[in-house]
Amino acid sequence: MEALKKAIQERGNVLSDHVLKVDSFLNHQVDVELMAAIGTEFAKRFADEQITKVLTIESSGIAPSFMAAHYLESPLIFARKKKSLTMNDHVYVSQVYSFTKQETNDITVSKDFLQAGDRVLIIDDFLANGQAAKGLIEIVEQAGASVSGVGIVIEKSFQNGRKLLEEQGYRIESLARIAALSDGQVRFIEDRLT
Ligand code: G4P
Ligand code: NA
Ligand code: NA
């Protein structure tokens, strides 16, 4: 997606060979026009999937997935990382391991909002090692619902996430695929021609 790649090149910062900072338009300040374009693109790519729910994880997945859900005319659910006061055992839970933080955290979704028969599009801001997506997939499975696909804003293709999800047979659509971050430069994998 050209507008996204342009934003990454012009407004992103390569912090190291592994980390791209995009606080200026995605992870802190949010470029709402760009999010609308991202939502439109996800909606286009998953138009034939009869999506009934969009599922993401707080907090940075919410902005892009909100716009995708809008254009897909579907509700948006965000998994929570901290147990809320009003949440009881009426929740689906999965464990997400973070390689970055070297810790495992529970994520939860209320059983009220995902049902058997739902066709779920999972969206997240980054795909690194795929652990967040894996945790969200486990929650969809607990609900007896099906994963129609995984939409990612920025994929770091040099990490293992895509491989992990593809091995399980999931369709992944990443709007920007980064081949490498080196010498302060972002190098993309070329887009498919659509
Ligand atoms: P994984 O889910 O793919 O295995 O990723 P990992 O544990 O490595 O990522 C931990 C957090 O770091 C996630 O955000 C993820 O979105 C974010 N992240 C991973 N790589 C990058 C990167 O290169 N740049 C930026 N900006 N973020 C990255 P989180 O802790 O869940 O926080 P939130 O922002 O969603 O609240
Ligand atoms: Na995230
Ligand atoms: Na993040």
Side-chain angles (χ1 to χ4, degrees):
M1 185 184 162
E2 287 310 317
L4 173 62
K5 286 160 74 175
K6 189 163 182 276
I8 291 169
Q9 290 288 17
E10 293 177 0
R11 292 188 269 158
N13 283 300
V14 177
L15 289 193
S16 71
D17 287 358
H18 293 93
V19 180
L20 173 71
K21 185 168 174 164
V22 288
D23 276 14
S24 59
F25 62 90
L26 180 56
N27 287 151
H28 195 8
Q29 175 171 255
V30 176
D31 181 334
V32 296
E33 295 300 327
L34 181 60
M35 291 309 122
I38 284 169
T40 300
E41 183 65 24
F42 280 133
K44 189 175 109 190
R45 294 194 191 194
F46 291 99
D48 296 334
E49 294 286 349
Q50 288 111 34
I51 303 299
T52 65
K53 301 278 167 63
V54 175
L55 175 65
T56 190
I57 179 167
E58 65 176 353
S59 56
S60 298
I62 295 176
S65 60
F66 177 90
M67 295 310 303
H70 172 66
Y71 292 113
L72 286 163
E73 301 181 6
S74 145
L76 169 66
I77 304 156
F78 60 89
R80 288 181 160 167
K81 291 177 178 164
K82 293 212 176 84
K83 287 210 176 71
S84 96
L85 279 177
T86 57
M87 255 187 201
N88 39 38
D89 54 1
H90 187 63
V91 291
Y92 304 113
V93 186
S94 69
Q95 278 81 45
V96 174
Y97 177 72
S98 169
F99 287 96
T100 326
K101 296 171 186 164
Q102 298 201 348
E103 60 183 29
T104 301
N105 290 296
D106 284 354
I107 63 169
T108 56
V109 170
S110 168
K111 292 181 179 174
D112 287 338
F113 306 126
L114 269 184
Q115 282 86 32
D118 270 326
R119 295 178 55 82
V120 182
L121 171 59
I122 291 171
I123 289 184
D124 209 355
D125 57 339
F126 271 91
L127 179 61
N129 295 294
Q131 298 302 303
K134 182 168 164 266
L136 291 170
I137 288 167
E138 283 168 13
I139 280 178
V140 174
E141 285 171 349
Q142 287 174 38
S146 66
V147 176
S148 298
V150 179
I152 298 294
V153 181
I154 302 174
E155 172 187 314
K156 293 191 292 180
S157 307
F158 54 86
Q159 293 185 278
N160 288 328
R162 171 177 281 263
K163 183 165 177 282
L164 178 88
L165 301 178
E166 274 181 345
E167 278 170 359
Q168 296 176 51
Y170 296 107
R171 175 181 172 199
I172 305 150
E173 292 286 344
S174 301
L175 304 188
R177 300 185 67 196
I178 296 178
L181 296 171
S182 49
D183 306 322
Q185 300 294 315
V186 181
R187 192 160 56 77
F188 293 105
I189 290 179
E190 282 319 301
D191 272 342
R192 58 178 200 175
L193 301 169
T194 53

